[in-house]
Structures are given as C-alpha cells and as structure tokens.
C-alpha cells in the first residue's frame, strides 16, 4: 500500500454512488480525508498563531486537483470500441502467461510478504502571502503482510522529502509542514513511522484487490477478463473523467499491491488488454533502477499518460509512472512527473 492507493480506496464508496446520495458520500469522503494523512497542504497564519491545516490531495499530474471538488457523478456508457493496440495487448497477454509461470512467493508461518514502495510525487502549500508553492518530493515505505492475512499488518511510512532541485522556499515550507505533522492528536495513527492494523485496514481502509472487493475476497472475482473488466466498469461508473482511464487505474492499483494472487493478476492483465486507448508506451522504461515494458493510457485531455511498468520475465509490475504528453511552462512533453516503484520479497520478521 502507498499514499496514492490509500487515496483511491477512500474514493471507492463515492465512485458508484447514485446522484441522490452524492452529498452524503462527499461528506463521508471529506471526513475521512480530514482524518487521513495523505499529501497535505497548509497555510501559515500570522506569526505567533498556530498553523491551520487545509487538507488536500495531490494526484500525480501536471496540476494538483481537489478530488472532492472535481469529482462528478454521472451516467457513463461502457465503451464498445476495440481494446488496446495490438502491441500493448501482446505485452499484457504475455505478462499474464508469465505471472502464472512465476506463481506467487511462498510465505510460511511467521513470515511476511514485504512490499516496498518508493515514490516521486507532488507536494504543495500556500505561502503566507497566498501564493501556491508546488514542488516534487520523494517518499516511500514498506508494508509487511503476515502469512495469515487476517493478522497484524505493519506499515513503515517514510517522510516526504523535497527533491534537491526544489526551491529554498519550497524546502522551508515542506520542513514547516513536517514539523507540524509530528504533533498528532493522542490516539491517532502516526503519519510517519510505524502503523499497525489487523487485516491491513490502515486508517480504517481495508486493502482491496479492486474497488469493492477486499483483498481477502480476491478469489471470488471473475477470472474471465471480459467479465472482470465489465465489473470494474460497473464499480467505477461516474468516477474520474473517463471510464477507460479509471478502469486502467483500478487495475494498476490491484497489481501494485504486490499481494494479488497470480490467477487474478493474469486476469487483470488480460482485462487491461481489452480497454480502448491502452498502448505500448516504452519497451525500455526505467523505474528506480529497473527496466521493464511500459503500458499506458492517456488522460482524456491528452495532457498526461499513466503507465504501468511490467517485468516481461516475471509478469510482475515493477512500478508506475506519469508522463507529460505536451509541453508545459516548466516541463516539456516526455517529462516523467511522478513514479512509484514496487519490490516484493519474503522476510522472517517485521518492525
């Protein structure tokens, strides 16, 4: 699990809500955001007064967006056009075959599946004069999943650190934010450090195989790719700006957990091959020092592409990346504005 996945899980109960319950859903979502440590933004007050937090969520994109403010609930017709390009479909179907051959790591009694993530993501805050200051920052963490997944999971959350090229003003704001977040209310899980949760329900969010299905029930999902994709379209109806990109992101979230069983991973790859607009992005994409094949889908406005990066030998997802598709004032097309790497291993103990 990582911050971005935690955010998407918080969105799951809103994405399928009928219009009549939108207000209640949004209220619940904002309540959970207010009590969940994700990407924070804050406005420093006058000297001598406490810092007042304005909790926001920054999606890895060319611009930050308030999820609760931009989410639209509307009827969406499932696309009926052809699926991924032939090249992308070939890579995804080959990955499905490889993931079955590779099978799942064996986690024995008392052992843990360690899922380690590193991220380059976006941060932001408002300066005292009201200007919005944005920067890139790195973070990461390790999730330890016990052999009995109903047992206690452990998440070591690492701090968010601005990249070296961030401006001095951005670094100062980030340092102020980090210092303020150390003083969590009594009884609240920490934002940085060790978090523990039975069954992996960190901050009250049960880990999901896909939206609407807990990881523990992953075996109940359809293994037929078309049936699985239809279910994903149904559960993400009205979420995001495109049913296809939302379905692709949902599949990427499941694959990135590192804990989805091989048979379901294979079905998710094959389902992704049926999504219109999915293309082969790069056969030599590098994420955190490892090279794989990138498969992606552009955003509806054509400004950015979301990729999953697959190890063609094992069929495992080794990461994700967000790539600009057109020039922006401070970043040309082709710039990678965010990435997440995923590494899994079996270990004998957890912190």
């Amino acid at each position: 699990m990582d911050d971005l996945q935690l955010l998407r899980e918080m969105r799951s109960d809103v994405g399928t809500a009928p219009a009549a319950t939108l207000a209640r859903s949004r209220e619940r979502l904002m309540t959970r955001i207010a009590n969940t440590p994700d990407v924070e933004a804050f406005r420093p007050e006058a000297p001598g007064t406490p810092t007042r937090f304005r909790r926001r969520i920054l999606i890895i994109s060319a611009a930050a967006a308030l999820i609760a403010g931009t989410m639209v609930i509307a009827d969406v017709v499932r696309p009926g056009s052809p699926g991924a390009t032939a090249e992308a479909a070939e890579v995804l179907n080959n990955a499905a075959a490889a993931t079955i051959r590779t099978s799942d790591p064996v986690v024995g009694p008392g052992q843990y599946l360690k899922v380690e993530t590193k991220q380059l993501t976006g941060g932001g805050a408002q300066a005292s004069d009201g200007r919005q200051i944005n920067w890139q920052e790195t973070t990461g963490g390790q999730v330890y999943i016990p052999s009995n997944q109903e047992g206690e999971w452990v998440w070591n959350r690492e701090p968010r650190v601005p990249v070296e090229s961030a401006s001095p003003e951005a670094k100062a704001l980030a340092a102020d934010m980090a210092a303020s977040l150390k003083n969590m209310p009594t009884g609240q899980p920490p934002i940085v450090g060790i978090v523990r949760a039975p069954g992996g329900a960190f901050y009250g969010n049960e880990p999901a195989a896909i939206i609407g299905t807990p990881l523990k029930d992953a075996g109940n999902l359809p293994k037929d790719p078309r049936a699985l994709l239809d279910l994903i379209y149904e559960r993400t109806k009205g979420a995001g700006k495109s049913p296809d990109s939302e379905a692709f992101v949902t599949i990427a979230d499941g694959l990135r957990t590192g804990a989805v069983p091989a048979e379901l991973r294979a079905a998710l790859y094959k389902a992704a091959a049926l999504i219109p607009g999915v293309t082969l992005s790069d056969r030599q994409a590098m994420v955190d020092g490892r090279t794989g094949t990138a498969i992606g889908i552009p955003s509806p406005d054509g400004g950015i592409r979301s990729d999953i990066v697959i190890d063609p030998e094992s069929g495992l997802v080794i990461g994700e990346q967000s790539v600009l598709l057109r020039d922006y004032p401070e970043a040309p097309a082709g710039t990678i504005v965010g990435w997440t790497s995923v590494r899994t291993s079996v270990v004998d103990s957890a912190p």
Side-chain angles (χ1 to χ4, degrees):
M1 179 172 288
D2 53 42
D3 291 340
L4 188 58
Q5 186 177 355
L6 181 65
L7 161 62
R8 288 167 179 164
E9 289 179 7
M10 290 195 302
R11 292 174 54 192
S12 63
D13 62 341
V14 178
T16 56
T21 62
L22 173 58
R24 291 195 302 273
S25 296
R26 182 168 293 169
E27 182 179 356
R28 289 198 304 271
L29 178 64
M30 292 308 296
T31 299
R32 294 166 80 178
I33 289 172
N35 292 287
T36 301
D38 212 287
V39 182
E40 308 284 351
F42 68 104
R43 181 197 302 274
E45 303 295 343
T49 63
T51 299
R52 184 181 71 226
F53 284 87
R54 297 190 308 123
R55 295 180 184 265
R56 297 191 314 157
I57 295 182
L58 302 181
I59 292 294
I60 299 172
S61 62
L66 261 173
I67 293 299
T70 59
M71 188 176 295
V72 176
I73 303 296
D75 290 334
V76 177
V77 177
R78 184 176 66 80
S81 53
T85 64
E87 285 185 318
E90 180 182 11
V91 170
L92 289 164
N93 287 318
N94 287 344
T99 200
I100 292 295
R101 290 196 305 270
T102 304
S103 74
D104 296 318
V106 177
V107 184
Q111 292 185 315
Y112 295 83
L113 178 67
K114 178 183 176 182
V115 183
E116 182 174 8
T117 59
K118 294 182 180 179
Q119 290 178 284
L120 173 71
T121 183
Q126 278 191 329
S128 57
D129 60 4
R131 290 178 299 117
Q132 178 66 32
I133 308 298
N134 295 316
W135 60 85
Q136 285 188 306
E137 58 189 16
T138 59
T139 186
Q142 304 84 40
V143 174
Y144 297 81
I145 306 172
S147 56
N148 177 2
Q149 292 191 5
E150 295 181 1
E152 182 181 77
W153 294 32
V154 181
W155 186 2
N156 178 35
R157 301 191 69 180
E158 297 177 352
R160 311 182 77 89
V161 180
V163 296
E164 189 60 34
S165 59
S167 69
E169 186 176 25
K171 291 178 180 177
L173 285 170
D176 288 345
M177 183 189 305
S180 297
L181 292 177
K182 288 182 179 179
N183 301 316
M184 292 295 292
T186 302
Q188 292 292 320
I191 291 174
V192 175
I194 301 296
V195 187
R196 304 177 189 276
F202 298 109
Y203 308 101
N205 295 278
E206 191 172 16
I210 64 168
I211 288 175
T213 297
L215 187 59
K216 65 184 180 183
D217 296 330
N220 297 332
L221 287 167
K223 302 307 184 295
D224 176 76
R226 172 52 66 187
L228 180 59
L229 182 58
D230 286 345
L231 180 64
I232 291 171
Y233 277 129
E234 178 184 340
R235 291 186 178 176
T236 58
K237 183 179 179 180
K241 296 181 179 180
S242 159
D244 295 324
S245 60
E246 195 70 15
F248 186 82
V249 164
T250 297
I251 289 172
D253 283 345
L255 293 168
R256 195 175 71 248
T257 65
V260 170
E263 189 177 10
L264 179 57
R265 287 202 307 273
L268 287 169
Y269 281 131
K270 291 180 179 179
L274 300 175
I275 298 175
V278 172
T279 63
L280 173 62
S281 307
D282 187 350
R283 290 191 181 274
Q284 295 293 317
M286 181 170 289
V287 179
D288 191 27
R290 291 182 295 167
T291 302
T293 303
I295 302 294
I297 190 168
S299 60
D301 64 0
I304 196 166
R305 188 185 68 241
S306 299
D307 291 338
I308 56 174
V309 183
I310 303 166
D311 178 349
E313 296 299 321
S314 67
L316 294 175
V317 167
I318 63 174
E320 296 181 6
Q321 61 184 18
S322 297
V323 183
L324 296 184
L325 297 179
R326 57 173 176 248
D327 294 337
Y328 286 86
E330 297 182 4
T335 300
I336 298 175
V337 293
W339 54 259
T340 299
S341 71
V342 184
R343 298 175 189 266
T344 57
S345 59
V346 176
V347 297
D348 294 329
S349 61

